[in-house]
Amino acid sequence: MSKRINFGKLIEKQLPPELVNFMWVAGEMANSRGEKVYLVGGVVRDLLMEQANFDLDLVVEGNAIELAQQLKLNQGKITTHPRFNTAKLQWNDRSVDLATARSETYEKPGALPAVTPSSIDNDLSRRDFTINAMAIRLNPGYYGKLVDPHGGRDDLQSQRIRILHEKSFTDDATRIWRALRYEQRLGFHLEKKTSSLLQRDIPMLATISADRTRYEMECICKEKYPEKVFNRAGELGVLAALHPSLKGNGGLAEKFEHARKECSPEPPSFDLYLALLAYPLTAEETEQLISRLNLPKLSAKTLRDTIAVKNKMRSLSTPGVSPGAIYNLLRDFSPAALEANSLVTESAVAGQAIHLFLNRLKDVQVLLTGDDLIQMGIAPGPRIKEMLALLHQAKLNGKIATRHDEEEIIKGWVAQKQGGTTPPS
Ligand code: CTP
């Protein structure tokens, strides 16, 4: 049963005037087309919680693509997906998604659902949690009316994450990760039955494709405190379903917090968070995680590099190791893998070496080119490359700095050669 409460004022208070105006226009236009239009999902939840969220999701009992085409502002861009009856409107830095109200049926667990146009009630019934299954009507005369058939508002007040039906996690086990994400983000708790069904359905995570699982991990890593979700997933046995050797505890919070400080004002990248999470894994286990998440090349390289750098920590911890040697040890590895190792290592010397590399050494370049060397009298051939490498080492080790310094060294080598000796190697 929907409650007769008007949330028009809340919308005006919390959303920018431009979006409030957009929703009025959407309501009027839908009315003139004989359609009903609603604001739905996360933005309704966040409006009710008085939290900022400007990602508007509209559901139309009618034709979302046609309504979007009519609503398209002069300067705006529209992207449509006729197969799913959805459209996205974008203008300036605003983005609004419109979808045709739909029912979903799952042919087998974990598969993407089959979709048919339907009513707002059916559209809300296909959703994950009661707090995400509310809508606010936008048509004139009904503007601001809350549609809450599953008791989402009560659950918001009681701070409960509750699924709508027994098969929710079986149909779509990504909701297991989503449940933990909302629970930890909002500081809520899993309702009792939801909690026991979640535990029962942990094996269903195996039905979720690698790409969808990776997407869930990416969403977690965009949270303010991803470690809270991983810790909770560890407690409940959800993390073990991703990989049995992953641990949510073991100082993860401290490492993630440290990563946020190091990366500030930007948040840490997905690759860095993942490298910290996967840090305790062996090379073989890391490969299993890479394929479970079908990681793109660069992310996979970061995880592999993390292990390779771990194996170099003893050499890096040696006091007095030269900048040139540090460069040679670390030159091939991804910055996120280096950052992960610097955050985890207990060796201050190794940590400083990695930061020296990241902050300075990796950008040190020789200014002279092979052509310059030939013009200065060095014979073409493999020796050119060797000499450029020697110049690079001299520069890394602070023995030379300017182009003039480089030229002086080369001139010295040419003179030595003319005098019958060969340049140092
Ligand atoms: N949804 C769902 N089951 C999923 C994914 C999404 O029922 N596996 C529904 C929820 O109603 C959700 C809406 O689709 O509110 C939009 O999904 P998403 O953008 O992921 O959630 P939001 O709540 O909009 O955003 P966020 O999670 O970042 O707060």
Side-chain angles (χ1 to χ4, degrees):
M1 280 276 290
S2 53
K3 290 174 187 164
R4 292 199 162 273
I5 296 171
N6 195 298
F7 288 96
K9 288 266 177 308
L10 201 59
I11 291 177
E12 264 168 47
K13 193 173 122 200
Q14 277 181 240
L15 294 179
E18 188 187 9
L19 292 180
V20 176
N21 185 49
F22 175 85
M23 287 194 283
W24 266 108
V25 175
E28 282 180 359
M29 208 163 271
N31 235 31
S32 69
R33 294 170 48 82
E35 295 176 337
K36 292 178 186 165
V37 64
Y38 303 84
L39 186 65
V40 293
V43 65
V44 176
R45 175 198 69 220
D46 290 341
L47 269 174
L48 266 54
M49 292 185 75
E50 307 208 3
Q51 288 187 4
N53 180 350
F54 303 155
D55 291 333
L56 302 192
D57 277 310
L58 303 191
V59 162
V60 190
E61 281 180 337
N63 189 322
I65 294 183
E66 281 179 21
L67 180 62
Q69 276 158 345
Q70 271 185 264
L71 278 167
K72 181 177 155 334
L73 307 176
N74 287 337
Q75 78 277 28
K77 179 183 153 201
I78 181 166
T79 320
T80 63
H81 293 283
R83 215 183 121 206
F84 301 106
N85 287 319
T86 61
K88 185 186 269 296
L89 288 175
Q90 286 164 298
W91 71 98
N92 304 331
D93 58 345
R94 304 285 183 219
S95 159
V96 176
D97 287 299
L98 289 98
T100 302
R102 64 194 204 223
S103 317
E104 289 181 347
T105 42
Y106 291 83
E107 281 189 17
K108 63 176 177 143
L112 289 174
V115 171
T116 41
S118 190
S119 63
I120 187 70
D121 278 351
N122 285 338
D123 192 284
L124 295 176
S125 297
R126 73 177 173 84
R127 291 174 184 261
D128 49 5
F129 309 111
T130 59
I131 59 167
N132 287 342
M134 293 181 277
I136 294 177
R137 192 153 163 200
L138 301 177
N139 296 66
Y142 298 89
Y143 186 87
K145 185 184 166 218
L146 183 72
V147 183
D148 180 18
H150 304 283
R153 202 159 171 243
D154 284 349
D155 284 340
L156 272 185
Q157 261 149 21
S158 314
Q159 308 197 317
R160 266 195 305 251
I161 306 293
R162 185 158 62 90
I163 45 174
L164 308 190
H165 58 88
E166 284 225 354
K167 280 182 66 207
S168 187
F169 293 129
T170 323
D171 284 344
D172 178 0
T174 64
R175 290 174 176 169
I176 292 179
W177 285 111
R178 290 175 65 84
L180 304 188
R181 191 152 59 80
Y182 290 119
E183 184 197 44
Q184 296 305 311
R185 183 202 297 172
L186 304 174
F188 283 16
H189 61 275
L190 300 176
E191 174 267 337
K192 209 164 158 230
K193 192 155 178 219
T194 299
S195 174
S196 71
L197 289 170
L198 184 150
Q199 302 239 8
R200 181 198 72 183
D201 290 338
I202 288 173
M204 300 310 288
L205 284 165
T207 65
I208 302 300
S209 71
D211 289 341
R212 293 186 70 204
T213 307
R214 185 184 65 249
Y215 177 74
E216 292 307 319
M217 296 305 111
E218 287 166 355
C219 290
I220 292 170
C221 290
K222 283 186 195 140
E223 293 290 324
K224 198 165 175 201
Y225 301 111
E227 64 271 27
K228 290 187 178 182
V229 184
F230 290 128
N231 285 346
R232 181 75 165 128
E235 264 168 38
L236 294 174
V238 174
L239 199 55
L242 183 61
H243 194 288
S245 299
L246 287 175
K247 301 270 179 297
N249 49 17
L252 199 62
E254 200 186 315
K255 286 173 207 147
F256 276 28
E257 186 61 48
H258 199 165
R260 283 190 287 274
K261 277 204 191 109
E262 287 287 319
C263 299
S264 172
E266 295 301 315
S269 64
F270 173 62
D271 286 2
L272 178 54
Y273 273 141
L274 196 63
L276 290 171
L277 180 71
Y279 201 83
L281 302 191
T282 64
E284 195 188 345
E285 290 168 340
T286 299
E287 289 307 321
Q288 290 159 353
L289 185 66
I290 288 170
S291 73
R292 178 64 190 107
L293 296 176
N294 188 24
L295 287 181
K297 266 197 186 131
L298 278 179
S299 304
K301 175 171 160 49
T302 294
L303 291 200
R304 292 183 183 120
D305 284 358
T306 301
I307 297 181
V309 177
K310 212 194 292 186
N311 293 333
K312 307 228 178 253
M313 291 314 265
R314 188 187 287 257
S315 314
L316 281 173
S317 309
T318 316
V321 60
S322 73
I326 294 172
Y327 180 88
N328 288 343
L329 283 166
L330 302 181
R331 59 188 292 171
D332 296 326
F333 303 121
S334 84
L338 296 172
E339 195 63 62
N341 274 280
S342 86
L343 290 166
V344 172
T345 185
E346 283 170 9
S347 158
V349 176
Q352 280 158 11
I354 291 174
H355 278 126
L356 180 67
F357 176 83
L358 287 172
N359 297 334
R360 190 170 75 77
L361 303 182
K362 75 172 173 37
D363 301 318
V364 169
Q365 279 179 349
V366 172
L367 300 174
L368 294 179
T369 64
D371 283 350
D372 292 330
L373 265 58
I374 292 167
Q375 276 192 2
M376 292 175 76
I378 310 277
R383 196 77 181 122
I384 297 274
K385 205 173 157 198
E386 284 168 29
M387 286 187 154
L388 288 172
L390 285 170
L391 284 179
H392 190 225
Q393 281 289 313
K395 213 161 184 182
L396 288 165
N397 288 328
K399 296 196 173 130
I400 54 172
T402 63
R403 185 182 171 98
H404 177 75
D405 295 343
E406 292 178 20
E407 286 169 350
E408 288 304 302
I409 289 206
I410 298 296
K411 280 183 199 161
W413 289 344
V414 171
Q416 278 176 20
K417 194 167 176 239
Q418 283 163 354
T421 48
T422 47
S425 48

